[in-house]
Amino acid sequence: MFLVSSVIPMDVAKSETLNTIDSLLPPKKRMRLTEPPTDNAPVSAAIKKVSFPNNTKYKGVVQHQNGHWGAQIYVDHKRIWLGTFRSAAEAAMGYDSASIKLRSFDANSHRNFPWSDLTVHEPVFQKRYTTEAVLNMIKDGSYQREFKEFLKNRSQKELTASDVGKLNRLVIPKKYAVKYLPFLSDDQTEREEGEIVEDVEVVFYDREMKQWKFRWSEQELLMVDVHRFSDNDSAVTDEEVNKTVHNSCDDVMKPAENFNSKLGEEENRGGFMLFGVRIQ
DNA sequence: TGATGTGTTGAG
DNA sequence: TCAACACATCAG
């Protein structure tokens, strides 16, 4: 069984170690409306396990003399105040959320925390609101509550073995990958025509923080190659992948037909949840 | 008076 | 762009 529940940029995944940051957080007299993430919305779980070199620093987070934490973000040479928070981590989360709206998926390079199975849905959530509305929610502390509600109303989709085929490969049409996984495809829009692009390795983490390696390849499709489904399974070789891709694009598509039809259904309902799906 | 937001400045 | 510091303003 394979539960894909979070995505973490490769460079972050490699460089960061598991740790906790809660002990660094000071108490706060004036509590915000913001609820700490719970087990049902384990944002903190994903965050807790990530530490940074010099892990007392967060981008966009400032500390007042009284020990309270503020968040700010700079856009177009202007500072936007994101409010005060009861902890540096919450301030950092506020910064990340604002960064998504203000910088789109360039936020990949402007984040405190890697994408988790929950935060990866923030761009879709934020599309419902104007920039001003998102910033206001961050400021007044209602953002996490609204986002949590948004996630609750989403349906999760379960993948089956037929979705991945014999090679354990999940193939996603480029149009869906570009639409729903823009942080993986953004760079391609800036490529020059004819430029050869190497495959990009992407690491997903399941709820047990187990690592799963995928590979984005730009053939006729943007696709994900599942290199292993369990520690005992042998990895799909590049030779097998290339043979299948080049010999018959239709064959590649076949295992993904069910998945793609589900994609369409989800799209019609106004959203798509890839992460949190199960392959068994 | 403490909490919060803004102005300003210097570093990268 | 970012953080740090100083200062202004707000609210209980």
Side-chain angles (χ1 to χ4, degrees), chain A residues 2-279:
Chain A
F2 179 26
L3 281 167
V4 185
S5 59
S6 67
V7 56
I8 299 178
M10 190 61 182
D11 55 338
V12 177
K14 283 182 175 176
S15 63
E16 293 174 355
T17 57
L18 302 183
N19 202 346
T20 178
I21 56 175
D22 273 4
S23 59
L24 302 171
L25 308 180
K28 187 180 184 206
K29 288 182 182 176
R30 180 183 158 197
M31 304 293 282
R32 297 202 62 140
L33 292 175
T34 314
E35 296 176 17
T38 65
D39 287 341
N40 291 333
V43 175
S44 63
I47 293 169
K48 279 182 185 174
K49 295 180 178 179
V50 177
S51 68
F52 295 79
N54 305 318
N55 59 5
T56 57
K57 284 288 187 183
Y58 291 105
K59 191 185 293 288
V61 175
V62 297
Q63 188 174 27
H64 274 95
Q65 290 177 338
N66 55 19
H68 294 177
W69 300 91
Q72 57 189 18
I73 189 169
Y74 292 84
V75 176
D76 295 335
H77 310 289
K78 293 178 182 177
R79 177 174 57 182
I80 298 174
W81 186 253
L82 301 175
T84 54
F85 300 81
R86 63 181 176 181
S87 71
E90 285 191 16
M93 289 167 61
Y95 175 92
D96 286 357
S97 296
S99 178
I100 293 170
K101 190 64 175 177
L102 295 169
R103 295 169 174 162
S104 185
F105 268 94
D106 184 42
N108 271 341
S109 57
H110 295 279
R111 286 184 68 84
N112 287 297
F113 303 115
W115 295 98
S116 72
D117 58 335
L118 297 174
T119 59
V120 74
H121 302 297
E122 282 192 65
V124 177
F125 164 69
Q126 292 187 1
K127 281 184 179 179
R128 296 173 156 195
Y129 303 95
T130 64
T131 299
E132 185 180 7
V134 169
L135 295 177
N136 284 338
M137 285 193 291
I138 293 171
K139 286 178 188 175
D140 66 23
S142 65
Y143 181 90
Q144 290 297 332
R145 189 172 61 246
E146 295 293 331
F147 181 48
K148 191 176 172 181
E149 190 66 22
F150 166 79
L151 290 176
K152 194 185 301 179
N153 293 333
R154 292 179 68 96
S155 63
Q156 294 200 5
K157 178 175 58 57
E158 183 174 301
L159 291 186
T160 65
S162 65
D163 291 320
V164 296
K166 292 180 181 178
L167 293 181
N168 284 344
R169 297 174 61 238
L170 174 62
V171 182
I172 303 175
K174 186 172 182 176
K175 66 175 183 177
Y176 292 122
V178 169
K179 183 171 184 178
Y180 295 108
L181 304 171
F183 51 93
L184 289 174
S185 55
D186 261 4
D187 290 343
Q188 295 170 22
T189 61
E190 297 176 2
R191 290 179 194 143
E192 294 180 6
E193 190 174 354
E195 181 182 356
I196 298 174
V197 181
E198 295 182 357
D199 292 355
V200 177
E201 187 172 38
V202 183
V203 178
F204 288 74
Y205 286 81
D206 62 20
R207 291 194 170 87
E208 286 75 40
M209 293 305 289
K210 185 176 179 180
Q211 194 178 77
W212 301 89
K213 292 182 179 179
F214 290 70
R215 191 179 63 189
W216 286 101
S217 176
E218 193 173 34
Q219 306 285 342
E220 293 84 353
L221 309 166
L222 263 179
M223 60 188 178
V224 179
D225 294 329
V226 181
H227 279 217
R228 61 186 173 93
F229 276 91
S230 75
D231 293 336
N232 296 327
D233 289 347
S234 59
V236 178
T237 65
D238 289 344
E239 187 179 359
E240 288 175 301
V241 171
N242 292 331
K243 181 181 176 183
T244 308
V245 169
H246 292 302
N247 286 357
S248 172
C249 185
D250 289 337
D251 285 344
V252 177
M253 286 293 294
K254 196 169 183 178
E257 282 178 354
N258 292 339
F259 175 73
N260 293 329
S261 65
K262 291 171 186 174
L263 271 179
E265 293 170 10
E266 294 291 333
E267 184 183 28
N268 291 337
R269 284 192 286 179
F272 160 58
M273 180 173 283
L274 170 63
F275 309 99
V277 300
R278 175 183 302 158
I279 299 173

